[in-house]
Amino acid sequence: MSAQSNTEQSGRAGAERLIARLQGLRDADRAVLELIAIGAAAIAPLRDFLFRREASGLYQPRCNAVAALAGLRAEEVLLDFLRAAPEVEIVDPVERTGEDAVINAAARALKHRRDDAAFEALMRIAEKRRLAGVVEALGEMGRQAAMPRLIEGLSSDFTRGVAEAAIRKTGSAARAPLIAIALKPIPCAEFETASSRRLRRSALGLLCDIGVSAAAWSLLRPLMEAADERLAALACKLALATKRNLPDRQRAVCRLIGLLPSADWLLTVEIEGWLAEHYDETSTAIDRALNRADQSLPSDKVRHSLRRVTAIVAKANSARGSPGY
């Protein structure tokens, strides 16, 4: 037997011992580094371990194997794993959850790639399952063809954050589908589902970041009067950001103040921030609301909120050395 063969066998044996250590809670990180140090001889046993399904749902050891393979630059192994993923039918929810976690790890390990092979493998998975790592990797690849999958990611609590981040980077290319989502309650306005409301809020929030044209705003304007308070508030935020239509901006300020009595604490904080951000346009309405002496005087909650707004602005002006408004 040649010296090279002996070295390869020794390396594989060492790799297999280290792979057993990947399942330990304390020693796994060190085992990953030692596997990378072995080099090419560790790739085959790592591949075998990665492709071995785990019925218990315990996913961290195989995610550690992904990290070792990434460190060895064995990306074709990870790509083969992702190509095979859509063909794996797993009924047991515990095992399915574990497998999804490993798929997410492999997808994130390849998110720097821009080639067709990686993109197609990820798209095939995304067509069947909404997984955060897959959505994140597709977003990093920056391809317009991935937009439908990214949009779908907004509908799941597990993928919404990474989908929003990816769409935000895409910018204006996402505007048309986001407008369509924001305007379409599912199944209808009267019986809209909670998931539909979350989806429309996400779409409108992204439009606030991306911006809309005057024509697009004319479509979205009615949402300022939406029954869903957060959706209405986001439409008002968008109105303030458009800087085009003065009556709409004034109406948005009044609507935001009108939402404060029933807004939950998070929405209240957000509204206060938006009113402070656009204080040049909101100050008159705020002063008028605080100085009312008739029966329409706002509630204590509203007064406290509006005073916080003025305090935020005063503090910001003081920090800038500005005399304020």
Side-chain angles (χ1 to χ4, degrees), residues 22-289:
L22 291 180
Q23 302 179 62
L25 296 177
R26 297 182 179 179
D27 201 30
D29 290 344
R30 183 178 179 85
V32 168
L33 295 175
E34 292 181 16
L35 281 161
I36 294 171
I38 287 175
I43 292 176
L46 280 168
R47 178 191 174 98
D48 292 342
F49 183 68
L50 176 62
F51 276 77
R52 197 179 309 150
R53 283 169 48 182
E54 176 53 61
S56 71
L58 185 63
Y59 59 85
Q60 194 56 55
R62 292 167 70 211
C63 289
N64 292 333
V66 169
L69 286 163
L72 289 164
R73 298 186 179 180
E75 294 183 357
E76 288 306 309
V77 174
L78 299 177
L79 190 53
D80 287 344
F81 175 72
L82 292 177
R83 286 192 185 109
E87 309 305 325
V88 178
E89 294 292 339
I90 301 176
V91 177
D92 181 75
V94 173
E95 184 179 355
R96 175 76 270 176
T97 299
E99 194 70 19
D100 287 348
V102 182
I103 293 169
N104 279 330
R108 289 187 171 107
L110 296 181
K111 68 181 182 180
H112 64 282
R113 302 223 348 193
R114 300 292 183 271
D115 56 284
D116 291 344
F119 181 74
E120 289 168 6
L122 291 167
M123 285 290 283
R124 285 186 64 229
I125 297 171
E127 287 169 4
K128 292 193 173 185
R129 297 186 65 76
R130 292 170 190 160
L131 302 178
V134 174
V135 172
E136 181 180 336
L138 285 171
E140 288 292 325
M141 290 183 176
R143 296 200 185 193
Q144 184 61 28
M147 184 57 65
R149 304 284 85 84
L150 301 182
I151 293 291
E152 288 173 0
L154 297 176
S155 64
S156 168
D157 292 340
F158 297 105
T159 57
R160 186 175 300 113
V162 292
E164 286 179 342
I167 292 169
R168 203 172 282 115
K169 289 179 184 178
T170 303
S172 59
R175 190 175 289 131
L178 289 173
I179 291 171
I181 289 170
L183 293 173
K184 185 178 180 181
I186 298 173
C188 63
E190 186 179 0
F191 300 106
E192 184 174 12
T193 63
S195 61
S196 172
R197 286 193 294 271
R198 288 193 295 268
L199 178 59
R200 295 171 72 211
R201 293 169 187 168
S202 178
L204 199 53
L206 285 166
L207 288 168
C208 289
D209 295 334
I210 295 169
V212 297
S213 65
W217 168 245
S218 68
L219 297 173
L220 296 166
R221 181 186 293 114
L223 293 179
M224 286 199 293
E225 303 302 327
D228 181 77
E229 291 184 344
R230 177 163 290 279
L231 198 64
L234 286 167
C236 292
K237 178 188 178 185
L238 184 57
L240 290 173
T242 57
K243 296 294 183 185
R244 288 187 180 90
N245 188 308
L246 181 59
D248 281 347
R249 296 202 302 275
Q250 293 174 335
R251 179 178 160 202
V253 174
C254 293
R255 177 69 166 134
L256 286 172
I257 294 173
L259 288 169
L260 284 171
S262 55
D264 61 35
W265 70 268
L266 178 57
L267 183 56
T268 297
V269 170
E270 289 176 317
I271 290 174
E272 290 171 4
W274 301 335
L275 292 173
E277 181 183 354
H278 298 278
Y279 195 69
D280 56 333
E281 296 185 76
T282 65
S283 58
T284 300
I286 289 173
D287 290 342
R288 189 166 57 242

